[in-house]
Amino acid sequence: MSTADTSEAARILVVDDERSMCELVETTLGMRGFSVTWCQSADAALAVLREQNIDMVLTDVKMPGTSGIALCGEINRTRPELPVVVMTAFGSMETAVSALRAGAYDFVTKPIELDLLVATVHRAVDYSRLKNQVRVLL
């Protein structure tokens, strides 16, 4: 099932301390039919997740306060069905391994290749929706 086939826009939460990155991702994904909410800290993201039904999270690694890796770990602990894609300008293998160990669905590096980001978001949303369908069927 492709996200284009669904009647409801997939809801994406973007978490990045850089407002310009949040706005770029919001515009890019919004033009492709996604509904985007963004915030600039992990604490704000956790509040959004308590209040809204989100289909996937896209988070930066390096943020003041709680890191994106720690946010990913908390989301994986409390909402394991929710895919988290981690993005960072610090694209080392060590960072990628840390993100995956924290439960990240995928990992993208900055500067973001927008077409790759959109494809990754589509895959994560499709994965989330298929996982939810299987849970309903069981």
Side-chain angles (χ1 to χ4, degrees):
M1 166 159 91
S2 169
T3 52
D5 299 331
T6 61
S7 59
E8 184 179 325
R11 297 160 307 255
I12 312 303
L13 175 59
V14 177
V15 188
D16 196 310
D17 60 320
E18 294 180 28
R19 181 183 185 98
S20 59
M21 178 58 73
C22 292
E23 291 171 344
L24 172 66
V25 173
E26 178 183 33
T27 299
T28 300
L29 296 178
M31 289 179 1
R32 287 162 176 89
F34 294 99
S35 172
V36 179
T37 300
W38 58 267
C39 54
Q40 293 179 271
S41 73
D43 290 339
L46 293 171
V48 169
L49 290 171
R50 284 190 295 273
E51 298 168 9
Q52 297 182 31
N53 190 11
I54 298 293
D55 293 306
M56 73 141 312
V57 177
L58 177 66
T59 185
D60 191 19
V61 168
K62 298 277 186 183
M63 296 184 290
T66 305
S67 74
I69 301 288
L71 174 62
C72 180
E74 178 63 16
I75 293 169
N76 191 47
R77 187 182 68 75
T78 59
R79 301 221 3 227
E81 77 286 353
L82 184 63
V84 178
V85 173
V86 175
M87 59 182 173
T88 184
F90 307 96
S92 73
M93 184 60 77
E94 182 179 316
T95 303
V97 169
S98 294
L100 295 173
R101 283 186 178 153
Y105 172 79
D106 206 346
F107 180 89
V108 294
T109 57
K110 293 180 180 179
I112 299 291
E113 292 181 38
L114 295 178
D115 289 338
L116 176 61
L117 175 65
V118 170
T120 301
V121 168
H122 271 291
R123 278 194 319 272
V125 168
D126 287 347
Y127 171 80
S128 176
R129 290 185 171 176
L130 287 171
K131 202 169 181 180
N132 287 333
Q133 286 178 345
V134 167
R135 187 175 35 249
V136 167
L137 292 172
L138 296 178

